[in-house]
């Protein structure tokens, strides 16, 4: 299968990583819109204008499905995206909410971007749970710049220290998971890629064919390349990178 995955930047690579581990023999086309990051501070209209270009890109690539590996876009634009194309669409938030509604834990903290928090998608959808939504606006910039501030992380973790579950409501945030776990050792931390993987139906070619990753980014930087290598921390046969896509 040919699977398209997109995000505002490198965060969606955490989703790509999990998909490749489980389904290695497929072609993955990744689109990171690093030119227009962050998405979390954009209006819905601005996001739609950007997403139209991304969906058109994937249609030209003839992908079999599109994974919205962005919490902001998943929370704000899912219905509009499904109307843009006939390609099968999956988002990261819907499977996560389905998973959270099934677990026994009741106190759930959400770390996400401003846009996702302002949509209140988790609080609305988890109406039988105690939900604390926190906009962690510093996380995406410091991840993209690879300048991690432990004091900021610690302060946010303190706010959910009494909670049973912490949802990483942005796909950038699993990059910080080990650091978050340091301050929340007894908290169940949910990476949205995992419920998504359990939801998506993918044909894994079990023959001798090899998988392939093709990475597209709309703006290049040395830090980006370094982060890609850190996130995709496995040996893979072919990785192509095309940069500066307009």
């Amino acid at each position: 299968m040919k699977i398209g995955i997109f995000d505002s930047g490198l965060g969606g690579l955490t989703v790509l990583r999990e998909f490749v581990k489980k389904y290695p023999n497929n072609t993955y086309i990744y689109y990171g819109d690093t030119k227009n990051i962050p998405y979390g501070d954009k209006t819905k209209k601005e996001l739609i204008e950007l997403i139209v270009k991304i969906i058109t890109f994937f249609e030209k690539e003839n992908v079999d499905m599109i994974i919205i590996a962005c919490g902001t876009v998943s929370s704000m634009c899912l219905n509009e995206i499904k109307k843009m194309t006939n390609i099968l669409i999956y988002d990261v938030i819907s499977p996560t909410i389905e998973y959270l509604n099934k677990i026994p834990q009741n106190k759930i903290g959400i770390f996400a971007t401003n846009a996702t928090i302002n949509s209140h998608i988790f609080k609305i959808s988890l109406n039988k749970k105690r939900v604390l939504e926190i906009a962690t606006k510093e996380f995406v910039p410091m991840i993209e710049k690879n300048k991690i501030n432990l004091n900021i992380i610690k302060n946010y973790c303190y706010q959910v220290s009494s909670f049973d579950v912490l949802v990483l409501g942005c796909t950038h945030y699993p990059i910080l998971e080990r650091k978050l776990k340091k301050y929340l050792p007894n908290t169940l931390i949910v990476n949205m890629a995992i419920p998504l993987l359990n939801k998506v139906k993918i044909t894994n070619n079990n023959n001798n064919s090899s998988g392939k990753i093709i990475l597209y980014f709309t703006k290049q930087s040395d830090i980006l390349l370094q982060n890609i290598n850190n996130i995709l921390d496995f040996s893979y046969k072919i990785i192509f990178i095309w940069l500066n896509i307009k």
Side-chain angles (χ1 to χ4, degrees):
M1 293 185 71
K2 185 182 284 189
I3 301 164
I5 299 177
F6 78 89
D7 183 37
S8 61
L10 58 87
L13 293 176
T14 64
V15 176
L16 172 63
R17 177 177 62 194
E18 300 301 329
F19 270 78
V20 171
K21 288 178 181 178
K22 186 172 182 178
Y23 301 107
N25 298 321
N26 292 285
T27 296
Y28 294 93
I29 299 177
Y30 183 86
Y31 189 111
D33 193 11
T34 42
K35 181 180 179 181
N36 295 295
I37 199 170
Y39 276 11
D41 294 333
K42 288 181 169 47
T43 65
K44 185 172 184 176
K45 180 181 178 181
E46 291 171 331
L47 289 173
I48 293 295
E49 290 174 354
L50 296 171
I51 293 163
V52 167
K53 297 178 182 178
I54 297 172
I55 298 301
T56 300
F57 168 83
F58 281 131
E59 287 178 335
K60 291 179 180 178
E61 292 292 327
N62 294 312
V63 300
D64 298 299
M65 71 172 62
I66 297 173
I67 306 295
I68 307 172
C70 175
T72 297
V73 175
S74 296
S75 65
M76 295 182 66
C77 309
L78 178 59
N79 291 333
E80 288 78 4
I81 293 174
K82 288 183 174 179
K83 294 176 183 178
M84 292 179 191
T85 181
N86 292 322
I87 299 172
L88 183 62
I89 302 289
Y90 286 96
D91 74 293
V92 288
I93 288 185
S94 300
T96 302
I97 288 172
E98 184 176 337
Y99 164 77
L100 294 171
N101 274 321
K102 291 179 179 178
I103 63 175
Q105 292 90 335
N106 188 56
K107 295 172 65 178
I108 299 174
I110 312 291
F111 284 175
T113 64
N114 289 345
T116 298
I117 296 303
N118 289 337
S119 75
H120 299 297
I121 188 168
F122 285 99
K123 185 168 288 188
I124 292 168
S125 303
L126 301 172
N127 56 6
K128 294 184 179 181
K129 306 279 188 177
R130 178 182 172 187
V131 178
L132 177 62
E133 299 173 314
I134 300 175
T136 46
K137 62 182 181 179
E138 298 94 342
F139 279 13
V140 170
M142 71 182 187
I143 290 169
E144 289 281 341
K145 296 175 182 178
N146 200 16
K147 294 183 178 180
I148 308 303
N149 188 318
L150 293 178
N151 286 329
I152 291 175
I153 294 173
K154 182 179 180 180
N155 289 336
Y156 279 120
C157 287
Y158 177 77
Q159 297 179 54
V160 295
S161 59
S162 65
F163 279 63
D164 307 310
V165 180
L166 173 64
V167 178
L168 306 182
C170 170
T171 56
H172 280 73
Y173 296 178
I175 297 170
L176 302 176
E177 187 168 355
R178 289 183 181 178
K179 294 178 174 60
L180 292 165
K181 198 66 180 176
K182 176 182 177 182
Y183 301 111
L184 299 168
N186 300 315
T187 302
L188 172 63
I189 296 180
V190 177
N191 175 351
M192 295 192 296
I194 307 305
L196 172 62
L197 266 176
N198 294 331
K199 188 74 173 180
V200 174
K201 304 299 182 184
I202 292 179
T203 301
N204 194 15
N205 302 318
N206 292 319
N207 53 28
N208 294 325
S209 64
S210 298
K212 180 169 62 174
I213 297 175
I214 307 175
L215 304 177
Y216 289 82
F217 289 93
T218 54
K219 185 177 180 180
Q220 180 182 5
S221 71
D222 292 336
I223 294 175
L224 172 64
L225 297 175
Q226 179 183 340
N227 284 330
I228 290 170
N229 290 329
N230 290 337
I231 297 168
L232 300 183
D233 54 353
F234 46 74
S235 176
Y236 204 73
K237 186 172 182 180
I238 303 174
I239 297 179
F240 295 101
I241 301 176
W242 279 264
L243 299 165
N244 298 320
I245 304 301
K246 296 182 179 180

